[in-house]
Amino acid sequence: MAKIGLMGGTFNPIHNAHLALAQAAYEYCGLDQVWFMPSGRSYLKKDMDIPSGEVRADMVRLAIRDIPYFSFCDLEIKRPGNTYTADTLEELNALYPADEFYFLMGADSAFYFSHWYHPERIAALCTLGIVGRPGKEDEELMELLKELKTCFQARIVRIPFREQSVSSSMIREMIKKGNMADGLIPEPVADYIRQNGLYTSKYT
């Protein structure tokens, strides 16, 4: 049996904080692998002009290619229609019934978890790895985690992580203004963005 962390997201583009979060989860939870899964058509971002799944997949592959315990998973970008985490977890559990999945998310996402598509199914199919800042026991977050355990019988691990002030939207804006966000994204990803003219005008 393998313990597998799942890093979902648009990855528009993937950046160093994504990699650092995955590394923290890998170490703290004793995971065997972390799978990066770019979303297909997110129902939460349907009005955004987002690069194709293939383009975002290319960037993810470049970002993780030198880390042996990071892997790429194309399950969501290959699935037609809207992307729902509950459907993804059901499919993964059917394909890999002997493995144990940890769905990784930031504390901000945890506050919206009850509004996700079928949160009860998600909670039944994985352990929730909630990333929080070490040394700061946020009372509001701790209360929320108790509620999730009560309402959904969720298995939850809170992962210590020093949050980084970087986001994909910030990086896109920097690139649009002519700054390649050096130090915030892996160098192969920066080269790919340059070569393909991403985030200069068409994408925001």
Side-chain angles (χ1 to χ4, degrees), residues 111-171:
F111 282 99
Y112 293 95
F113 180 76
S114 61
H115 301 288
W116 287 19
Y117 180 77
H118 285 300
E120 76 288 348
R121 285 165 53 194
I122 298 172
L125 292 165
C126 70
T127 296
L128 301 178
I130 310 296
V131 177
R133 183 176 298 176
K136 290 209 172 184
E137 293 300 320
D138 184 324
E139 292 184 6
E140 189 177 0
L141 175 60
M142 296 305 290
E143 188 62 34
L144 171 74
L145 299 188
K146 290 179 184 177
E147 291 177 11
L148 295 180
K149 290 178 181 179
T150 300
C151 294
F152 303 110
Q153 292 73 56
R155 292 158 288 164
I156 298 174
V157 176
R158 189 173 183 191
I159 302 167
F161 179 68
R162 189 167 299 283
E163 297 173 33
Q164 301 182 19
S165 300
V166 56
S167 68
S168 294
S169 59
M170 180 182 78
I171 289 170

Side-chain angles (χ1 to χ4, degrees), residues 14 19 36 59-67 70-72:
I14 188 169
L19 302 180
F36 287 74
M59 290 190 283
V60 170
R61 287 191 183 99
L62 287 168
I64 67 174
R65 66 184 180 187
D66 295 326
I67 306 173
F70 287 176
S71 298
F72 172 78

